[in-house]
Amino acid sequence: MYLCFSLKKSSKLILIFTINALLAISLPGDLRADDRTQIRIVGSGTVFPFAALASEKFGKAGKFKTPIVEATGTGGGFKLFCNGVGMDTPDINNASRAILNDEKDTCKKNGVVNITEFTIGYDGIVIARKKQADTLNITTKDLFMALARQVPNDGKLIKNTAQSWKEINSSLPDQPIKVYGTSPTSGTRDTFVEIVMVETCKELPEFKAAYPDAKDLKNACGLIREDGKFIEAGEDYNATAQKLTNDASAFAIFGYSFLDPNKASIQSLILNGVAPTYKTISDGTYKLSRKLYFYVKNDHLASVTGLSQYIQEITSEAAIGADGYLFEKGLIPLGDSDRKAQREHAKKLGAAGKN
């Protein structure tokens, strides 16, 4: 704050407040002095192509700028999203899993307390390989035994030294274990660890005996080996798909929404006897099915131009409907009533942002 005092002969004190001083008084809790005209979106690599397409459609309509969309991974996105409220932070985080309790705590700690969750559809996590390779039926236990840092052996836990899939299951090929996956900040990685690693492991007596505490057990079960059999490939699924086409023995973990438009070059493994399809993912028959989300920072609605309109666009029937443009991109639609609920939710949030 800048204050200027001028004392005249008349002993009148003139106090002049500069414009900066007035703004400094009004800024706390008021974002409008820093309004932004372009939406910032971060988060899931799986949700990225859907958000990118919706953003492109939104921008081409001509009323608002095309939003900036970055694939940072779900967890990486929440770190940015929960860093605070203000125009230097993202407005939306895309997520391939629901927000975690510790992420909620981080948000709350940094003043991000008004958040709204939306669901846009379903996706499945697939284990993929080169199209020309043999189709395989693999189990979640096979995957755990191939990728876990520790495995049971003769009643004890030992370091995982398995080199080939045949060592894991005699019905699998005698090929080296090589699985490309995403980083620890990825929602796809989180979901894979939770469903494949933890759910399998926590039923194994050797692990329960070694880790009687439930939290310790879960942490130990989620550890993936670090000897080169599991390779972190980031959020660039196109680059990962290229690696598969060049190596018939390699597998990769990514979303069904990426697999579907690339079926000419890659295929999915059958998991626990069930192939990933629109039907098996939407009805939950396929083990690795999941919902896709995005989270909105409500405090930005009044200050970021077009934010409420974008939310209505990406939840519209034209986008997430049974014949919507995101369905054509590979998104598996929610049921009719669920889609309607998301649209109504978006309209209410938009109306609230105008108040």
Side-chain angles (χ1 to χ4, degrees):
M1 185 183 341
Y2 299 96
L3 299 178
C4 179
F5 293 90
S6 179
L7 187 60
K8 294 187 177 182
K9 291 181 179 179
S10 62
S11 299
K12 289 183 179 179
L13 185 62
I14 302 173
L15 181 61
I16 303 172
F17 289 92
T18 68
I19 294 175
N20 286 339
L22 292 173
L23 289 176
I25 292 171
S26 64
L27 276 177
D30 182 1
L31 298 175
R32 298 193 178 190
D34 295 322
D35 281 0
R36 186 162 18 87
T37 59
Q38 193 168 28
I39 299 164
R40 283 189 58 202
I41 303 170
V42 294
S44 166
T46 300
V47 181
F48 173 81
F50 304 130
L53 181 56
S55 296
E56 182 183 347
K57 297 269 190 184
F58 183 71
K60 283 184 176 179
K63 293 182 179 180
F64 305 100
K65 290 183 179 180
T66 301
I68 298 170
V69 187
E70 300 175 74
T72 62
T74 296
F78 276 123
K79 285 182 180 179
L80 296 168
F81 182 83
C82 293
N83 197 40
V85 174
M87 296 298 97
D88 58 343
T89 64
D91 312 307
I92 291 175
N93 187 54
N94 296 323
S96 56
R97 57 156 173 79
I99 188 171
L100 304 176
N101 287 331
D102 62 343
E103 291 165 339
K104 291 179 182 178
D105 291 341
T106 300
C107 273
K108 186 176 181 180
K109 176 184 175 183
N110 292 326
V112 186
V113 293
N114 298 314
I115 302 172
T116 301
E117 175 188 283
F118 287 91
T119 307
I120 62 169
Y122 294 101
D123 185 41
I125 297 174
V126 300
I127 317 302
R129 69 184 312 200
K130 185 177 181 178
K131 180 72 172 180
Q132 290 72 24
D134 294 337
T135 300
L136 295 177
N137 191 337
I138 201 167
T139 67
T140 47
K141 186 173 183 180
D142 292 336
L143 290 170
F144 173 81
M145 294 298 290
L147 298 177
R149 195 173 299 179
Q150 291 181 298
V151 291
N153 181 271
D154 292 331
K156 300 179 181 179
L157 293 180
I158 63 170
K159 180 180 178 181
N160 192 351
T161 59
Q163 299 298 305
S164 78
W165 288 101
K166 199 169 189 65
E167 291 179 61
I168 303 299
N169 185 330
S170 60
S171 68
L172 296 176
D174 189 13
Q175 293 178 338
I177 298 169
K178 184 188 294 184
V179 180
Y180 291 97
T182 51
S183 69
T185 62
S186 163
T188 297
R189 169 89 164 255
D190 289 340
T191 303
F192 179 85
V193 166
E194 184 68 31
I195 297 177
V196 172
M197 308 297 289
V198 175
E199 284 192 16
T200 300
C201 166
K202 69 183 182 181
E203 300 302 324
L204 300 175
E206 294 88 348
F207 274 90
K208 289 194 285 187
Y211 301 99
D213 180 79
K215 185 175 181 180
D216 292 340
L217 175 63
K218 181 176 181 178
N219 290 337
C221 288
L223 295 176
I224 293 179
R225 60 195 297 187
E226 298 178 314
D227 57 355
K229 300 303 178 185
F230 179 88
I231 305 163
E232 289 185 9
E235 298 289 324
D236 188 347
Y237 295 155
N238 287 300
T240 303
Q242 186 60 45
K243 295 178 188 298
L244 296 185
T245 60
N246 294 331
D247 186 352
S249 67
F251 295 169
I253 302 167
F254 44 57
Y256 178 82
S257 58
F258 180 81
L259 171 74
D260 191 52
N262 292 279
K263 284 183 176 178
S265 59
I266 54 178
Q267 63 169 311
S268 64
L269 276 62
I270 297 169
L271 183 64
N272 293 352
V274 179
T277 64
Y278 282 138
K279 183 178 185 304
T280 60
I281 291 171
S282 61
D283 67 14
T285 305
Y286 182 69
K287 182 72 172 176
L288 283 172
S289 61
R290 58 180 174 171
K291 289 182 177 180
L292 299 180
Y293 307 87
F294 69 89
Y295 291 80
V296 179
K297 197 173 291 179
N298 297 354
D299 289 337
H300 285 197
L301 286 166
S303 300
V304 179
T305 304
L307 182 55
S308 63
Q309 290 86 348
Y310 169 80
I311 295 165
Q312 291 179 58
E313 169 62 34
I314 198 171
T315 57
S316 68
E317 191 68 6
I320 64 173
D323 297 311
Y325 59 77
L326 295 185
F327 170 76
E328 295 175 2
K329 191 74 174 177
L331 181 71
I332 298 173
L334 300 167
D336 292 347
S337 60
D338 288 336
R339 296 199 307 276
K340 182 179 179 182
Q342 296 303 308
R343 290 196 300 275
E344 291 177 351
H345 200 25
K347 289 177 182 177
K348 288 180 181 178
L349 188 66
K354 294 177 183 178
N355 296 332

